Amino acid sequence: MLACGPIILSSWILALTTKSISALYAVRIIQGIAMAIPYAVTPMYIAEIAEPCLRGQLGSYFQVFFYIGVLYSYATGPYFEYQIYLYLECLPVILFIIVYSFMPESPYYLLMKEKEEEAYKALSWLRADEDVLQEFNDIKENVAEDMRNRGTWKALIATKKDRMALFIVEIVCLVRYTNGISTISLYITQTLTQGGAWVLNSDQMAIVLTTILIIVTTGASFAADTVGRRPLLLISTIGATLFHSVVAVYYYLHERTNVDVSAYMWISFIALLGFCVVANIGLGPLMSIMQAEYFPSHTRAKGAGITGVVTGVSCFVSIKTYQVVDDYFGIYMNYVIFALISLTGAIFFWAVVHETAGKSLGQVQKTLLSTSSESKFS
């Protein structure tokens, strides 16, 4: 995780010292590679250092701080000169390198490497010097049980439990990145412009939307451990289905009929905001948490790698097909597709996903084991 700091900082320095288009392409490629690190590793690290009763809340902050980073760029990019903006982008990276240098390694990882003394010290530091002997012994037992199996790629599908874990995580990932949240946040200005005129300009709307997402995701982080993962996923996908349906109907009437719906333009805006709210109550913050929870110690890193690939591909396809569907069918068809994906996700989560809130990582594996033994899906 520390490695991505200097990599991203070097990309901003490259942008500061050169102004060619090819250099900016290089900046994007370097940052794209660097971003793969936190997406794969951060949820895993948080899950391994957090107490079971706080794992959902702390894991949700991954999404919260992603939006804070987006807001930071939206709030500085349009209002500062190019060079000043680049200097401002360097500040969070430098802060991260300095602060994170003091963080300990994951106790799970240290135990996997048979460094028991270091693992105990790391856990004690993370728990503010509380009595951690019982928790340490539980973690040690879970790691020992997981490490009896080799951490190969084949281990991801070696047993019914492993196949169930991989299947659930990748379906959650697909629904998360193809039901519209990434695409809508990118095309929100264009979508609203096609619906009519607005008081705020595009930069201001982007700031307002991102601020709302931060507030909602922060609130949802407190519910991840109290309400539970499964109810939040169902609320998220069912709500997304309803809001997408409303937007689809509005734009169908606006584009394909002679019905004048301009007076009801606010409905589409409220529906889009509603979708952003429900998407970030469940799917947004919980995907990274479930990714870290469902894979055992010996396959957690490889599972995160596969999930990262699925994330990148699904997000790319969703974003790139949005304009194609808009050109051929109209913008309403995108929201029909988003609604169908969300509905499919809701049915899947209701039928397959079991609650993991408040359970240790070892208990999650036992739940998966019992579930896979009973489920025909496996």
Side-chain angles (χ1 to χ4, degrees), residues 221-236:
S221 68
F222 294 99
D225 291 310
T226 53
V227 177
R229 320 283 198 258
R230 188 170 181 269
L232 289 177
L233 285 173
L234 290 172
I235 292 170
S236 187

Side-chain angles (χ1 to χ4, degrees), residues 19 27 31 34 64 74 91 96-98 101 104 114 142 159 164 168 175 220 241 249 266-267 289 322 347 356 366 375:
K19 291 188 177 180
V27 169
Q31 293 190 353
V64 173
Y74 283 166
L91 292 178
F96 164 75
I97 294 172
I98 295 172
S101 298
E114 299 180 352
N142 293 333
T159 66
M164 173 70 82
I168 291 175
V175 176
T241 303
V249 170
W266 59 272
I267 294 178
I289 298 171
Y322 185 91
I347 295 171
T356 59
K366 291 176 182 177
S375 174

Side-chain angles (χ1 to χ4, degrees), residues 89-132:
E89 290 296 316
C90 291
L91 292 178
V93 187
I94 295 171
L95 180 65
F96 164 75
I97 294 172
I98 295 172
V99 173
Y100 196 72
S101 298
F102 297 96
M103 288 295 292
E105 182 56 85
S106 159
Y108 278 82
Y109 175 80
L110 292 171
L111 285 170
M112 287 169 62
K113 298 301 179 181
E114 299 180 352
K115 299 179 181 179
E116 290 191 23
E117 186 177 347
E118 291 181 41
Y120 187 86
K121 289 180 179 179
L123 185 63
S124 180
W125 188 92
L126 290 164
R127 300 294 182 265
D129 294 322
E130 293 181 3
D131 183 9
V132 296

Side-chain angles (χ1 to χ4, degrees), residues 12 16 28 31 69-70 72-92:
W12 288 125
L16 278 164
R28 296 292 286 185
Q31 293 190 353
V70 172
Y72 180 78
S73 293
Y74 283 166
T76 54
Y79 306 108
F80 289 91
E81 294 180 0
Y82 179 72
Q83 292 291 110
I84 301 298
Y85 168 73
L86 293 177
Y87 282 120
L88 291 172
E89 290 296 316
C90 291
L91 292 178

Side-chain angles (χ1 to χ4, degrees), residues 285-332:
L286 290 182
M287 197 217 81
S288 58
I289 298 171
M290 295 178 69
Q291 168 192 321
E293 287 181 335
Y294 273 59
F295 294 117
S297 301
H298 65 288
T299 60
R300 193 167 292 139
K302 290 180 173 59
I306 289 180
T307 306
V309 172
V310 173
T311 295
V313 172
S314 58
C315 191
F316 177 82
V317 170
S318 180
I319 290 172
K320 288 302 179 182
T321 56
Y322 185 91
Q323 191 61 53
V324 175
V325 172
D326 186 2
D327 293 338
Y328 278 90
F329 301 99
I331 199 170
Y332 75 94

Side-chain angles (χ1 to χ4, degrees), residues 346-365:
I347 295 171
F348 175 82
F349 299 148
W350 176 80
V352 177
V353 174
H354 287 255
E355 190 55 66
T356 59
K359 296 181 179 179
S360 68
L361 296 179
Q363 290 172 327
V364 172
Q365 293 304 308

Side-chain angles (χ1 to χ4, degrees), residues 55-66:
R55 191 170 60 242
Q57 182 178 339
L58 295 177
S60 299
Y61 289 155
F62 180 81
Q63 190 73 17
V64 173
F65 279 88
F66 171 81

Side-chain angles (χ1 to χ4, degrees), residues 192-200 205 262 265:
L192 295 176
T193 303
Q194 287 180 236
W198 295 89
V199 176
L200 301 178
M205 283 194 292
S262 57
M265 183 172 53

